[in-house]
Amino acid sequence: YVTAPGPPRCAPPRLRDAGLTGWPRPRREAAHRAAAEASLRRGGRVEAVARHLLRTPAVGLPWALRVLRDAVTVAVHDARPADAVAYLRRALDEPLADDLRQRLLTELGSLEYASADAPAAIARLAEAQHLPADPRNRVRTAVALGTALAARGEIRTAMDVLRRTEGRLAGHPGLTRTVQAAGALLSDEDLATRQEVYRWLCETGERSPEVLGTAGQALLVRYGATAGLISAREAMTRVRALLAQPGDPLAEPFLLGTAAAVAQWADELDEAERLVERGLAGQHPALLHPMQHALLNTRADIAAARGDHARLLPGGPRTGAAASRTGPTNRDAHALMALVHTGRTEAAGRFADAFDLRRAPESWELNRFLYARGVQRAAAGDTVGALHDFLECGRRQAARDVVSPVVTPWRTAVAECRLALGGGQEALALATEELRLARVWNTPRTVGRALRVLGTATGGRRGLKLAEDAVRTLRDAPVDTGMELTEALLAQGRQLLAAGERGRARDRLREAAELAERTGAVRLLALAGQALRDSGARSPATAQTGSGALTGSERRIAELAAAGRTNTEIADLLHLARRTVETHLTSTYRKLRIRRRTELPAALGPRPPGRT
């Protein structure tokens, strides 16, 4: 303690430790214990007490363990896994019953994994698995250990852990289903294991779907979606019915995470976002779980679907659990594409080159990164390299029965490369097959993309019709399809230009440029600007302000708002998402240099001639 006027207080940690340096170890430890007890009596902060306990041997009294566990909770809440690890390691020095030691070891292994110490995490979790525990805690430990092993590429060992645990759960059907769901999810990291697991799931689902539980049935819906077997509408109907059923709390994260992924593919983005947030909120903050990573992946997928590039840009070195993974992740793929879309070409090249894909283990996330690197190479002018990546992505996805373009639209990407290299017939065949599969899933985004590329591959009058269909499909979508609509407008503008319809071509290209500018798609804005210059247009790609700068969609929405319609009414009337209406109005206010809805009638003025 420091002697000074006023009530006694503890010295700052550095000063306190310096003052005790010369003391014998037993005396230092006794001083820290006395300080911990004094701080506890005065109602000091729990971590202040716990830091003293870190410098003492086992106290052997209930208050010490309680303080250390409370300090773990605080550190986890504040996203300081390294501090939480220190408190838990110290807690394990206290006398503990086997079942409590098992729970603390599971938490410690999970937090060590979050601190990017995967070897230590796996050792702790393996130790916890061999201690006595009730069935629910045994399942939590097995799921955590399986997650850590799978992330390190040891999927066979992970599956063995889960199978052994399942074999010890006789009389606990709900827990058995939870372990099976965990195994199905983790099997995505290995092709052969995935084929084996989904063969069993499909056979069991046909005979006795109730055996799988809601989480297992949701995984089958996900499989059907990626295998091109069901439509988005059917998938969402089945998922919503499963969500309405009561389920075991331990299995719920698997159901929520799977449902969120399906909803995102179905362009039910608001619903997907709610499911992600609900799933993340239900995660135990100190337990490793595969759905934590899956839910964060779906959150990134949602941001990509909304064209939120800024949210997806890489933010520096990997931290936390991501640092323990041995290959590129889905979020790395999104970060790479965000760099491309925002015009950071050189940075995108450096980011892509930072990963040695020859050493990356087989996984669906590697396939997503291959697709992203293909996008990067195509943008950089390396069409041959891009073609290689897209074809390899397609080969790997097909081997996993992932044939729907809802995940990686590799066929249209290959078709565009083939067109650039002069392979028109191959491009036509690929784009035709993509459109067939897109119409099975049948969302505007997938169908519109396939129509766009098929139109380019077809050419002529038929190609112009397909390009028009693509634009209409994406423009009339009930969700914001900004990126896809921009590319469709650009493709249609180029085709109209080739057909000699310069006036219509310029209208489409200016709309594409405006949409690209609004969404921050710098690369597409540059492409639209170049196409406009090729058309002989003298005005800039986008008119920055004034009513003449409004796109057709913005003007339609603004006129309805000026007439007194609410955003919800406009969304219902035009079959749009309310978020899309809000985005258009925000852009309109900026262009018209107004701040309030009441200013719209005067600012809009008469409709410019020829605008639709």
Side-chain angles (χ1 to χ4, degrees):
Y1 289 95
V2 176
T3 302
R9 65 184 189 279
C10 287
R14 290 181 183 175
L15 179 58
R16 178 185 66 231
D17 292 343
L20 299 179
T21 299
W23 290 15
R25 179 177 175 180
R27 189 178 176 191
R28 288 199 311 270
E29 292 173 346
H32 280 297
R33 173 167 174 171
E37 292 173 336
S39 180
L40 185 65
R41 284 195 300 271
R42 292 195 313 274
R45 291 179 62 250
V46 68
E47 282 198 272
V49 181
R51 280 194 288 270
H52 283 294
L53 292 176
L54 292 178
R55 295 170 173 84
T56 71
V59 172
L61 295 174
W63 67 266
L65 182 60
R66 185 180 67 251
V67 164
L68 289 164
R69 295 186 72 184
D70 287 347
V72 170
T73 301
V74 172
V76 169
H77 180 270
D78 293 344
R80 291 182 285 112
D83 289 341
V85 163
Y87 299 136
L88 267 175
R89 286 174 178 167
R90 172 60 185 81
L92 288 165
D93 291 338
E94 296 293 322
L96 300 168
D98 281 345
D99 60 339
L100 180 54
R101 182 172 296 276
Q102 194 269 351
R103 294 203 302 274
L104 294 186
L105 279 169
T106 302
E107 289 184 20
L108 177 55
S110 298
L111 291 168
E112 284 175 329
Y113 184 86
S115 299
D117 191 354
I122 290 170
R124 300 283 188 184
L125 293 167
E127 182 183 353
Q129 198 188 26
H130 289 96
L131 289 174
D134 66 61
R136 298 185 75 81
N137 284 324
R138 191 179 301 137
V139 168
R140 290 188 178 100
T141 303
V143 169
L145 179 55
T147 303
L149 288 165
R152 298 282 292 177
E154 300 177 45
I155 184 63
R156 298 287 179 165
T157 307
M159 297 302 290
D160 286 344
V161 166
L162 293 173
R163 289 190 185 104
R164 285 198 303 271
T165 302
E166 183 182 344
R168 299 167 64 189
L169 291 173
H172 299 279
L175 295 179
T176 298
R177 289 193 289 266
T178 297
V179 173
Q180 291 168 348
L185 185 67
L186 294 177
S187 74
D188 282 342
E189 302 294 329
D190 179 78
L191 175 59
T193 305
R194 185 181 193 275
Q195 290 173 334
E196 177 186 340
V197 167
Y198 275 91
R199 188 181 304 114
W200 178 83
L201 277 175
C202 290
E203 291 172 355
T204 305
E206 287 181 4
R207 296 193 312 268
S208 309
E210 69 282 356
V211 172
L212 301 179
T214 54
Q217 291 177 63
L219 285 164
L220 278 182
V221 174
R222 188 189 71 164
Y223 175 83
T226 58
L229 301 176
I230 57 176
S231 69
R233 175 174 292 185
E234 180 185 351
M236 288 307 299
T237 298
R238 290 168 60 180
V239 159
R240 286 168 179 148
L242 292 170
L243 287 166
Q245 296 180 28
D248 188 283
L250 278 188
E252 186 177 55
F254 296 102
L255 172 60
L256 292 175
T258 305
V262 172
Q264 185 271 315
W265 294 335
D267 268 339
E268 299 285 354
L269 300 184
D270 290 341
E271 185 170 355
E273 196 162 49
R274 287 193 295 272
L275 288 167
V276 166
E277 298 311 315
R278 180 178 159 193
L280 289 173
Q283 292 281 305
H284 190 301
L287 287 180
L288 182 59
H289 197 286
M291 264 305 163
Q292 174 82 11
H293 185 69
L295 287 163
L296 292 174
N297 273 331
T298 302
R299 178 187 276 174
D301 293 340
I302 294 168
R306 286 178 169 155
D308 191 354
H309 309 306
R311 187 173 175 182
L312 296 168
L313 290 169
R318 288 186 187 179
T319 57
S324 296
R325 303 189 76 84
T326 54
T329 66
N330 179 55
R331 280 172 278 169
D332 292 325
H334 282 307
L336 178 55
M337 288 192 285
L339 288 169
V340 173
H341 295 323
T342 54
R344 295 166 168 86
T345 307
E346 292 184 3
R350 290 192 299 272
F351 189 82
D353 291 343
F355 296 92
D356 184 355
L357 302 193
R358 295 169 300 179
R359 301 177 60 185
E362 162 68 33
S363 75
W364 70 271
E365 292 188 274
L366 172 60
N367 300 348
R368 296 287 283 268
F369 193 83
L370 277 167
Y371 179 84
R373 193 175 70 173
V375 171
Q376 178 265 321
R377 286 177 164 176
D382 181 7
T383 306
V384 173
L387 178 61
H388 173 272
D389 281 346
F390 291 138
L391 286 171
E392 182 63 12
C393 170
R395 183 189 69 79
R396 289 168 176 263
Q397 291 288 66
R400 301 166 70 86
D401 294 332
V402 179
V403 299
S404 174
V406 71
V407 181
T408 44
W410 64 269
R411 292 178 188 81
T412 45
V414 170
E416 289 181 301
C417 291
R418 293 292 191 199
L419 285 171
L421 296 171
Q425 287 303 311
E426 292 173 281
L428 189 61
L430 284 163
T432 300
E433 176 64 5
E434 184 98 321
L435 180 58
R436 183 189 71 80
L437 289 166
R439 282 179 167 154
V440 172
W441 185 243
N442 204 32
T443 57
R445 199 185 303 272
T446 51
V447 172
R449 182 196 301 116
L451 284 168
R452 165 176 64 82
V453 178
L454 182 58
T456 302
T458 303
R461 189 175 299 277
R462 171 64 177 159
L464 282 172
K465 174 64 167 60
L466 290 167
E468 180 64 35
D469 289 347
V471 169
R472 184 176 61 254
T473 297
L474 292 162
R475 183 180 276 148
D476 295 345
V479 297
D480 188 347
T481 58
M483 282 288 295
E484 291 298 341
L485 178 56
T486 303
E487 295 209 55
L489 289 164
L490 180 57
Q492 187 188 23
R494 285 169 169 164
Q495 286 182 259
L496 288 168
L497 192 58
E501 298 188 42
R502 289 180 176 269
R504 287 185 66 204
R506 289 169 185 166
D507 285 345
R508 293 296 182 262
L509 293 171
R510 285 198 175 95
E511 186 176 353
E514 153 59 28
L515 192 52
E517 181 188 44
R518 189 174 74 226
T519 59
V522 175
R523 183 181 69 88
L524 292 178
L525 177 59
L527 292 174
Q530 181 60 53
L532 276 166
R533 288 190 291 274
D534 293 344
S535 76
R538 295 182 180 179
S539 58
T542 57
Q544 299 295 321
T545 59
S547 61
L550 300 180
T551 65
S553 297
E554 287 171 345
R555 183 150 195 118
R556 282 194 297 274
I557 290 170
E559 287 174 345
L560 289 169
R565 302 272 191 173
T566 66
N567 289 358
T568 301
E569 289 172 339
I570 296 170
D572 291 341
L573 190 64
L574 299 181
H575 305 290
L576 298 172
R578 178 172 173 168
R579 184 187 181 96
T580 303
V581 173
E582 292 167 351
T583 299
H584 280 302
L585 284 174
T586 298
S587 177
T588 298
Y589 290 173
R590 175 181 60 79
K591 291 179 181 178
L592 299 180
R593 295 181 177 178
I594 62 175
R595 295 184 178 181
R596 299 177 183 84
R597 207 179 189 93
T598 53
E599 299 176 75
L600 275 172
L604 279 173
R607 177 181 286 272
R611 294 296 294 270
T612 58

PDB file of all heavy atoms in Angstrom, residues 21 110 183 231 234 258 284 305 317 335 348 361 388 452 510 565 568 579 607:
ATOM      1  N   THR A  21       9.845  -6.746  -5.581  1.00  0.00           N
ATOM      2  CA  THR A  21      10.811  -7.551  -6.333  1.00  0.00           C
ATOM      3  C   THR A  21      11.842  -8.220  -5.447  1.00  0.00           C
ATOM      4  O   THR A  21      12.200  -9.390  -5.635  1.00  0.00           O
ATOM      5  CB  THR A  21      11.513  -6.673  -7.396  1.00  0.00           C
ATOM      6  OG1 THR A  21      10.525  -6.180  -8.288  1.00  0.00           O
ATOM      7  CG2 THR A  21      12.553  -7.490  -8.167  1.00  0.00           C
ATOM      8  N   SER A 110     -11.231 -23.583 -25.316  1.00  0.00           N
ATOM      9  CA  SER A 110     -11.940 -22.718 -26.268  1.00  0.00           C
ATOM     10  C   SER A 110     -11.297 -21.342 -26.345  1.00  0.00           C
ATOM     11  O   SER A 110     -11.116 -20.778 -27.430  1.00  0.00           O
ATOM     12  CB  SER A 110     -13.405 -22.586 -25.854  1.00  0.00           C
ATOM     13  OG  SER A 110     -14.066 -23.844 -25.881  1.00  0.00           O
ATOM     14  N   GLY A 183     -21.251 -33.022 -36.681  1.00  0.00           N
ATOM     15  CA  GLY A 183     -20.453 -33.799 -37.614  1.00  0.00           C
ATOM     16  C   GLY A 183     -20.749 -33.437 -39.062  1.00  0.00           C
ATOM     17  O   GLY A 183     -19.837 -33.328 -39.889  1.00  0.00           O
ATOM     18  N   SER A 231     -36.173 -25.075 -55.087  1.00  0.00           N
ATOM     19  CA  SER A 231     -36.244 -23.629 -55.321  1.00  0.00           C
ATOM     20  C   SER A 231     -36.055 -22.868 -54.012  1.00  0.00           C
ATOM     21  O   SER A 231     -36.168 -23.436 -52.923  1.00  0.00           O
ATOM     22  CB  SER A 231     -37.599 -23.257 -55.917  1.00  0.00           C
ATOM     23  OG  SER A 231     -38.624 -23.445 -54.945  1.00  0.00           O
ATOM     24  N   GLU A 234     -39.305 -23.011 -51.958  1.00  0.00           N
ATOM     25  CA  GLU A 234     -39.492 -24.272 -51.236  1.00  0.00           C
ATOM     26  C   GLU A 234     -38.528 -24.373 -50.055  1.00  0.00           C
ATOM     27  O   GLU A 234     -38.903 -24.809 -48.960  1.00  0.00           O
ATOM     28  CB  GLU A 234     -39.271 -25.457 -52.169  1.00  0.00           C
ATOM     29  CG  GLU A 234     -39.455 -26.814 -51.493  1.00  0.00           C
ATOM     30  CD  GLU A 234     -39.126 -27.987 -52.406  1.00  0.00           C
ATOM     31  OE1 GLU A 234     -38.921 -27.764 -53.613  1.00  0.00           O
ATOM     32  OE2 GLU A 234     -39.067 -29.122 -51.894  1.00  0.00           O
ATOM     33  N   THR A 258     -27.793 -22.655 -40.113  1.00  0.00           N
ATOM     34  CA  THR A 258     -28.142 -23.225 -41.411  1.00  0.00           C
ATOM     35  C   THR A 258     -29.283 -22.444 -42.049  1.00  0.00           C
ATOM     36  O   THR A 258     -29.259 -22.145 -43.253  1.00  0.00           O
ATOM     37  CB  THR A 258     -28.536 -24.701 -41.253  1.00  0.00           C
ATOM     38  OG1 THR A 258     -27.481 -25.403 -40.586  1.00  0.00           O
ATOM     39  CG2 THR A 258     -28.791 -25.338 -42.600  1.00  0.00           C
ATOM     40  N   HIS A 284     -22.456 -19.375 -26.398  1.00  0.00           N
ATOM     41  CA  HIS A 284     -21.756 -19.221 -25.117  1.00  0.00           C
ATOM     42  C   HIS A 284     -20.435 -18.523 -25.417  1.00  0.00           C
ATOM     43  O   HIS A 284     -19.624 -19.025 -26.208  1.00  0.00           O
ATOM     44  CB  HIS A 284     -21.502 -20.590 -24.493  1.00  0.00           C
ATOM     45  CG  HIS A 284     -21.009 -20.539 -23.077  1.00  0.00           C
ATOM     46  ND1 HIS A 284     -19.834 -19.894 -22.721  1.00  0.00           N
ATOM     47  CD2 HIS A 284     -21.530 -21.037 -21.924  1.00  0.00           C
ATOM     48  CE1 HIS A 284     -19.647 -20.002 -21.421  1.00  0.00           C
ATOM     49  NE2 HIS A 284     -20.674 -20.693 -20.911  1.00  0.00           N
ATOM     50  N   ALA A 305     -23.949  -9.350 -50.548  1.00  0.00           N
ATOM     51  CA  ALA A 305     -25.183  -9.279 -51.333  1.00  0.00           C
ATOM     52  C   ALA A 305     -25.733  -7.865 -51.371  1.00  0.00           C
ATOM     53  O   ALA A 305     -26.353  -7.452 -52.360  1.00  0.00           O
ATOM     54  CB  ALA A 305     -26.223 -10.235 -50.745  1.00  0.00           C
ATOM     55  N   PRO A 317      -3.952  -7.963 -40.142  1.00  0.00           N
ATOM     56  CA  PRO A 317      -3.686  -9.392 -39.940  1.00  0.00           C
ATOM     57  C   PRO A 317      -4.850 -10.082 -39.257  1.00  0.00           C
ATOM     58  O   PRO A 317      -5.634  -9.457 -38.542  1.00  0.00           O
ATOM     59  CB  PRO A 317      -2.435  -9.400 -39.044  1.00  0.00           C
ATOM     60  CG  PRO A 317      -1.905  -8.014 -39.060  1.00  0.00           C
ATOM     61  CD  PRO A 317      -3.030  -7.109 -39.416  1.00  0.00           C
ATOM     62  N   ALA A 335     -13.159 -10.253 -48.785  1.00  0.00           N
ATOM     63  CA  ALA A 335     -12.230  -9.121 -48.693  1.00  0.00           C
ATOM     64  C   ALA A 335     -11.516  -8.904 -50.023  1.00  0.00           C
ATOM     65  O   ALA A 335     -11.339  -7.754 -50.474  1.00  0.00           O
ATOM     66  CB  ALA A 335     -11.215  -9.370 -47.577  1.00  0.00           C
ATOM     67  N   ALA A 348      -5.386  -5.706 -54.150  1.00  0.00           N
ATOM     68  CA  ALA A 348      -6.052  -6.996 -54.349  1.00  0.00           C
ATOM     69  C   ALA A 348      -5.043  -8.056 -54.784  1.00  0.00           C
ATOM     70  O   ALA A 348      -5.074  -9.200 -54.308  1.00  0.00           O
ATOM     71  CB  ALA A 348      -7.159  -6.861 -55.393  1.00  0.00           C
ATOM     72  N   PRO A 361      -5.620 -26.745 -47.050  1.00  0.00           N
ATOM     73  CA  PRO A 361      -6.395 -27.993 -47.032  1.00  0.00           C
ATOM     74  C   PRO A 361      -7.688 -27.856 -47.817  1.00  0.00           C
ATOM     75  O   PRO A 361      -8.215 -26.755 -47.998  1.00  0.00           O
ATOM     76  CB  PRO A 361      -6.676 -28.207 -45.535  1.00  0.00           C
ATOM     77  CG  PRO A 361      -6.619 -26.830 -44.941  1.00  0.00           C
ATOM     78  CD  PRO A 361      -5.597 -26.080 -45.735  1.00  0.00           C
ATOM     79  N   HIS A 388      -8.389 -20.468 -65.258  1.00  0.00           N
ATOM     80  CA  HIS A 388      -7.893 -21.608 -64.487  1.00  0.00           C
ATOM     81  C   HIS A 388      -8.555 -21.662 -63.112  1.00  0.00           C
ATOM     82  O   HIS A 388      -9.007 -22.730 -62.658  1.00  0.00           O
ATOM     83  CB  HIS A 388      -6.374 -21.518 -64.334  1.00  0.00           C
ATOM     84  CG  HIS A 388      -5.799 -22.556 -63.420  1.00  0.00           C
ATOM     85  ND1 HIS A 388      -5.696 -22.357 -62.042  1.00  0.00           N
ATOM     86  CD2 HIS A 388      -5.331 -23.813 -63.659  1.00  0.00           C
ATOM     87  CE1 HIS A 388      -5.177 -23.437 -61.494  1.00  0.00           C
ATOM     88  NE2 HIS A 388      -4.939 -24.336 -62.438  1.00  0.00           N
ATOM     89  N   ARG A 452     -27.808 -12.191 -68.147  1.00  0.00           N
ATOM     90  CA  ARG A 452     -26.833 -11.206 -68.629  1.00  0.00           C
ATOM     91  C   ARG A 452     -25.733 -11.874 -69.445  1.00  0.00           C
ATOM     92  O   ARG A 452     -25.425 -11.447 -70.564  1.00  0.00           O
ATOM     93  CB  ARG A 452     -26.227 -10.448 -67.450  1.00  0.00           C
ATOM     94  CG  ARG A 452     -24.956  -9.682 -67.805  1.00  0.00           C
ATOM     95  CD  ARG A 452     -24.438  -8.871 -66.653  1.00  0.00           C
ATOM     96  NE  ARG A 452     -24.024  -9.653 -65.505  1.00  0.00           N
ATOM     97  CZ  ARG A 452     -22.835 -10.245 -65.390  1.00  0.00           C
ATOM     98  NH1 ARG A 452     -21.956 -10.190 -66.364  1.00  0.00           N
ATOM     99  NH2 ARG A 452     -22.533 -10.907 -64.277  1.00  0.00           N
ATOM    100  N   ARG A 510     -25.135   5.321 -68.591  1.00  0.00           N
ATOM    101  CA  ARG A 510     -25.165   6.369 -67.545  1.00  0.00           C
ATOM    102  C   ARG A 510     -25.847   5.853 -66.280  1.00  0.00           C
ATOM    103  O   ARG A 510     -25.428   6.158 -65.167  1.00  0.00           O
ATOM    104  CB  ARG A 510     -25.873   7.616 -68.079  1.00  0.00           C
ATOM    105  CG  ARG A 510     -25.040   8.432 -69.052  1.00  0.00           C
ATOM    106  CD  ARG A 510     -25.583   9.842 -69.206  1.00  0.00           C
ATOM    107  NE  ARG A 510     -24.697  10.625 -70.050  1.00  0.00           N
ATOM    108  CZ  ARG A 510     -24.852  10.800 -71.362  1.00  0.00           C
ATOM    109  NH1 ARG A 510     -25.889  10.242 -71.974  1.00  0.00           N
ATOM    110  NH2 ARG A 510     -23.997  11.509 -72.059  1.00  0.00           N
ATOM    111  N   ARG A 565     -46.576   9.280 -50.202  1.00  0.00           N
ATOM    112  CA  ARG A 565     -46.492   7.860 -49.852  1.00  0.00           C
ATOM    113  C   ARG A 565     -45.374   7.625 -48.832  1.00  0.00           C
ATOM    114  O   ARG A 565     -44.320   8.261 -48.901  1.00  0.00           O
ATOM    115  CB  ARG A 565     -46.186   7.029 -51.100  1.00  0.00           C
ATOM    116  CG  ARG A 565     -47.214   7.187 -52.204  1.00  0.00           C
ATOM    117  CD  ARG A 565     -48.336   6.198 -52.037  1.00  0.00           C
ATOM    118  NE  ARG A 565     -49.206   6.157 -53.210  1.00  0.00           N
ATOM    119  CZ  ARG A 565     -50.178   5.288 -53.376  1.00  0.00           C
ATOM    120  NH1 ARG A 565     -50.415   4.386 -52.438  1.00  0.00           N
ATOM    121  NH2 ARG A 565     -50.936   5.301 -54.448  1.00  0.00           N
ATOM    122  N   THR A 568     -42.796   2.404 -46.629  1.00  0.00           N
ATOM    123  CA  THR A 568     -43.408   1.072 -46.649  1.00  0.00           C
ATOM    124  C   THR A 568     -44.404   0.948 -47.797  1.00  0.00           C
ATOM    125  O   THR A 568     -44.445  -0.071 -48.506  1.00  0.00           O
ATOM    126  CB  THR A 568     -44.107   0.792 -45.310  1.00  0.00           C
ATOM    127  OG1 THR A 568     -43.143   0.866 -44.255  1.00  0.00           O
ATOM    128  CG2 THR A 568     -44.745  -0.586 -45.300  1.00  0.00           C
ATOM    129  N   ARG A 579     -35.528  -1.292 -47.485  1.00  0.00           N
ATOM    130  CA  ARG A 579     -34.149  -0.810 -47.455  1.00  0.00           C
ATOM    131  C   ARG A 579     -33.750  -0.228 -48.812  1.00  0.00           C
ATOM    132  O   ARG A 579     -33.025   0.767 -48.897  1.00  0.00           O
ATOM    133  CB  ARG A 579     -33.218  -1.968 -47.072  1.00  0.00           C
ATOM    134  CG  ARG A 579     -31.762  -1.579 -46.906  1.00  0.00           C
ATOM    135  CD  ARG A 579     -30.911  -2.825 -46.702  1.00  0.00           C
ATOM    136  NE  ARG A 579     -29.505  -2.495 -46.509  1.00  0.00           N
ATOM    137  CZ  ARG A 579     -28.913  -2.367 -45.342  1.00  0.00           C
ATOM    138  NH1 ARG A 579     -29.613  -2.553 -44.242  1.00  0.00           N
ATOM    139  NH2 ARG A 579     -27.634  -2.082 -45.266  1.00  0.00           N
ATOM    140  N   ARG A 607     -40.371  16.042 -65.373  1.00  0.00           N
ATOM    141  CA  ARG A 607     -39.609  14.847 -65.777  1.00  0.00           C
ATOM    142  C   ARG A 607     -38.830  15.162 -67.048  1.00  0.00           C
ATOM    143  O   ARG A 607     -39.390  15.664 -68.026  1.00  0.00           O
ATOM    144  CB  ARG A 607     -40.568  13.687 -66.018  1.00  0.00           C
ATOM    145  CG  ARG A 607     -39.885  12.418 -66.524  1.00  0.00           C
ATOM    146  CD  ARG A 607     -40.893  11.315 -66.767  1.00  0.00           C
ATOM    147  NE  ARG A 607     -41.374  10.761 -65.519  1.00  0.00           N
ATOM    148  CZ  ARG A 607     -40.790   9.758 -64.881  1.00  0.00           C
ATOM    149  NH1 ARG A 607     -39.677   9.222 -65.385  1.00  0.00           N
ATOM    150  NH2 ARG A 607     -41.284   9.296 -63.766  1.00  0.00           N
TER     151      ARG A 607
END
